Amino acid sequence: MEPHQSTEDSGQKCGARTGERFRLQIVTWNVGTASPPDNVTLLLGLESTETETDMFVIGLQEVNSSVTAFLVDLAFNDAWSVFLMDALAPRGYVKVTSIRMQGILLLIFVKSRHLPFIRDLQTNYTRTGIYGYWGNKGGVTIRLSIYGHLACFLNCHLPAHMDNVDHRLDSFQRILDAQQFSGEQAGGILEHELLFWLGDLNFRIADHGMHFVRETIRGNRFHLLWDKDQLNMAKKTETILQGFQEGALRFKPTYKFDLGSENYDTSLQTTMGFNGKKRKPAWTDRILWKVRERPREGAAEADGPRPGEPATVNLESYGSRMEYGISDHKPVAGTFGLEFEKLITEPLVKLQPEGRWTPGRDAIVSYRMSQLYPSSTWDWIGLYRVGFRDRNDYVTYIWVKDDELLHSQDTFQVYLSSDYVPTGTGTFLLCYCSSNLDSLVGVSDHFQICPEPEPELECEAVGIVVGEQCDKEPC
């Protein structure tokens, strides 16, 4: 097993300041069209109870995109999304959004309490395979704001093979140039306050021969390979890579392995009748980040001044998990501590259930809206069980205008018909879904739905008299 490697001594800390600390874990994995493994507890660090992760960003490449699989996935969630939601939902994580382009998939999960403060959601994609028309290579992007700080996550699968360095860089440049976002701030990928770049970037180890590379890996002398890593070399000369940072590569190269093992490629490649060489190990799977530079003091930004201090990024760990063997790549995970001043401290909508909710009776929801909130007649309130997977995983919902009961100057009430109140007991919460913002902008506290308590009855067999305290637990 190759554990996540600590980077506390690697100098990968961008600034030092106090403020809100937001823990982010990023995973990239080329899954080689395989089905999900039995579990991802180790990969996502779910066995740890010391520090809670606030957000998971998971980028996959080579998700099965055969015609049959892709058609099924269009009608239903793909197997990987379902698998990850099932793993994270019981721990209180909700899928915020996702984007898929053929075999390239990017998903973001957050703790439910953060949902009202994740805004400005947009997605984008760029095809770079086969003359730019095929999506087996390229990049998918999710941009969002976290408590007012704009972040962009780019998952790429770049061209393969040792000699295609320039092709990889050209593809990356094309993705950066092609993707644009609406809004007054951060129209392009590089304009975001925080940018995380992950994926199967396919950069190889140049010059060194197979024997030297394998012996160096066997001796854990990874530093002898860093200078010949094509991405490290390109960062010194290529303008588009300036400002990107990465943790030290103190883990084994993650490509190419025999399936189901920790053994590097033992197969012989055959090309046009000639026996080829085994694939040389390489750090193809990477996670990098870039913090947007602040303008010089007194200089104005193109899109106007930004309030508050910028976020800082502290890399806590960066490494691979060798025990996962479903593909010829090993997954790579990076854990980051984001420190920032909360620029948004109140949800756009505050809502709560009124009174006791009981099956068979109408229920009432009260809510208040911020003056800044762009409401719509298509807004709705969903009733969810605690541990729900994504926005569509509601038990039932209410149209805020169609089911409006009354409103005062600043408070609105809507009702839920008794026909839609769940039967039985359970713990629930309410979420306000914004049509204009395409996100959940309000989340209530947890509350119980349970039947009315049964009346106390005389039981001569055990000597209980009407009116005595019953020892039955309330729901």
Side-chain angles (χ1 to χ4, degrees):
M1 180 177 69
E2 185 78 10
H4 293 188
Q5 302 296 312
S6 172
T7 57
E8 291 179 356
D9 59 345
S10 65
Q12 301 296 327
K13 185 173 181 179
C14 309
R17 53 187 292 271
T18 59
E20 182 71 18
R21 190 167 183 84
F22 190 91
R23 194 166 189 258
L24 166 68
Q25 182 156 340
I26 299 178
V27 173
T28 179
W29 195 0
N30 183 322
V31 298
T33 74
S35 299
D38 292 336
N39 70 76
V40 284
T41 299
L42 293 176
L43 178 59
L44 301 182
L46 300 177
E47 78 283 3
S48 175
T49 57
E50 295 180 1
T51 307
E52 184 178 75
T53 297
D54 295 287
M55 174 183 284
F56 286 98
V57 177
I58 302 171
L60 305 177
Q61 307 85 41
E62 291 195 28
V63 173
N64 188 354
S65 56
S66 65
V67 174
T68 302
F70 198 70
L71 290 175
V72 171
D73 294 346
L74 287 176
F76 308 97
N77 278 318
D78 65 275
W80 277 94
S81 294
V82 172
F83 171 72
L84 291 167
M85 286 190 290
D86 286 345
L88 290 169
R91 293 173 168 85
Y93 295 96
V94 179
K95 190 187 82 172
V96 175
T97 191
S98 64
I99 179 172
R100 180 178 178 183
M101 180 182 70
Q102 278 183 231
I104 307 174
L105 175 64
L106 181 61
L107 308 102
I108 294 183
F109 298 82
V110 299
K111 278 287 189 179
S112 60
R113 68 175 179 275
H114 298 304
L115 286 171
F117 307 101
I118 305 297
R119 303 180 187 175
D120 303 311
L121 287 165
Q122 294 185 45
T123 60
N124 214 325
Y125 65 92
T126 304
R127 302 184 182 97
T128 62
I130 309 180
Y131 305 108
Y133 292 103
W134 193 243
N136 64 318
K137 295 293 191 293
V140 298
T141 306
I142 295 175
R143 99 82 171 273
L144 48 78
S145 69
I146 307 170
Y147 289 93
H149 296 270
L150 278 174
C152 185
F153 300 91
L154 170 61
N155 176 25
C156 287
H157 192 183
L158 300 183
H161 305 305
M162 179 69 70
D163 297 333
N164 278 339
V165 179
D166 290 341
H167 194 184
R168 285 189 274 277
L169 294 171
D170 289 345
S171 294
F172 184 50
Q173 181 71 69
R174 181 179 175 184
I175 292 168
L176 295 179
D177 292 341
Q179 295 196 14
Q180 295 294 313
F181 301 91
S182 62
E184 298 180 358
Q185 296 181 341
I189 290 176
L190 294 177
E191 296 174 24
H192 289 79
E193 185 176 341
L194 300 174
L195 168 59
F196 291 90
W197 177 31
L198 59 140
D200 179 1
L201 308 185
N202 256 321
F203 290 99
R204 308 304 171 97
I205 298 173
D207 299 338
H208 294 310
M210 175 75 76
H211 179 73
F212 178 81
V213 171
R214 291 202 173 190
E215 286 301 311
T216 301
I217 295 170
R218 188 174 292 113
N220 292 325
R221 295 177 294 171
F222 307 124
H223 63 283
L224 298 179
L225 305 175
W226 293 347
D227 287 343
K228 296 300 181 180
D229 173 79
Q230 291 176 337
L231 181 54
N232 284 342
M233 296 166 68
K235 284 169 64 178
K236 298 176 182 178
T237 59
E238 300 296 327
T239 302
I240 59 170
L241 299 180
Q242 299 305 301
F244 278 98
Q245 302 186 61
E246 183 181 15
L249 300 171
R250 293 196 176 97
F251 51 92
K252 292 180 180 180
T254 54
Y255 175 84
K256 172 181 170 118
F257 289 86
D258 292 337
L259 295 182
S261 78
E262 296 183 23
N263 300 321
Y264 284 105
D265 186 21
T266 59
S267 64
L268 289 177
Q269 309 301 317
T270 302
T271 305
M272 299 180 66
F274 296 96
N275 286 332
K277 294 181 179 180
K278 302 169 187 176
R279 297 294 178 89
K280 188 164 59 173
W283 285 290
T284 57
D285 310 281
R286 312 287 279 268
I287 302 171
L288 297 91
W289 75 93
K290 184 175 183 178
V291 180
R292 185 185 184 192
E293 293 185 3
R294 298 203 77 187
R296 296 186 306 275
E297 188 173 351
E301 295 190 69
D303 54 2
R306 295 175 183 272
E309 292 294 322
T312 61
V313 179
N314 303 317
L315 178 61
E316 297 177 0
S317 67
Y318 185 42
S320 62
R321 282 291 186 181
M322 289 290 139
E323 60 267 52
Y324 290 92
I326 63 172
S327 80
D328 54 1
H329 290 252
K330 300 298 183 182
V332 170
T335 304
F336 301 84
L338 308 184
E339 291 187 13
F340 51 74
E341 173 191 354
K342 283 186 177 180
L343 304 181
I344 298 173
T345 58
E346 295 292 334
L348 290 171
V349 176
K350 294 181 179 180
L351 72 166
Q352 64 182 23
E354 286 294 330
R356 180 190 181 95
W357 282 38
T358 302
R361 293 189 178 183
D362 292 346
I364 297 175
V365 180
S366 294
Y367 68 92
R368 296 182 180 184
M369 295 186 296
S370 164
Q371 293 181 350
L372 301 176
Y373 174 60
S375 62
S376 164
T377 55
W378 295 104
D379 289 353
W380 52 277
I381 296 172
L383 175 67
Y384 297 85
R385 291 187 181 274
V386 169
F388 71 101
R389 305 189 309 170
D390 67 0
R391 182 173 59 185
N392 296 321
D393 197 18
Y394 51 80
V395 177
T396 189
Y397 63 90
I398 314 166
W399 292 108
V400 295
K401 293 303 180 183
D402 290 352
D403 298 305
E404 188 171 275
L405 186 63
L406 59 86
H407 72 270
S408 60
Q409 184 175 1
D410 59 354
T411 301
F412 297 80
Q413 286 189 341
V414 293
Y415 79 96
L416 177 65
S417 169
S418 60
D419 294 337
Y420 299 102
V421 176
T423 60
T425 63
T427 306
F428 296 81
L429 52 81
L430 297 162
C431 295
Y432 190 105
C433 182
S434 168
S435 175
N436 288 330
L437 301 180
D438 194 28
S439 59
L440 300 178
V441 296
V443 177
S444 76
D445 292 334
H446 296 177
F447 65 97
Q448 295 284 324
I449 296 179
C450 54
E452 289 284 0
E454 296 180 3
E456 295 169 354
L457 300 174
E458 181 177 359
C459 182
E460 297 179 357
V462 293
I464 298 178
V465 180
V466 175
E468 286 190 356
Q469 184 66 38
C470 178
D471 61 359
K472 184 177 180 180
E473 290 291 332
C475 64

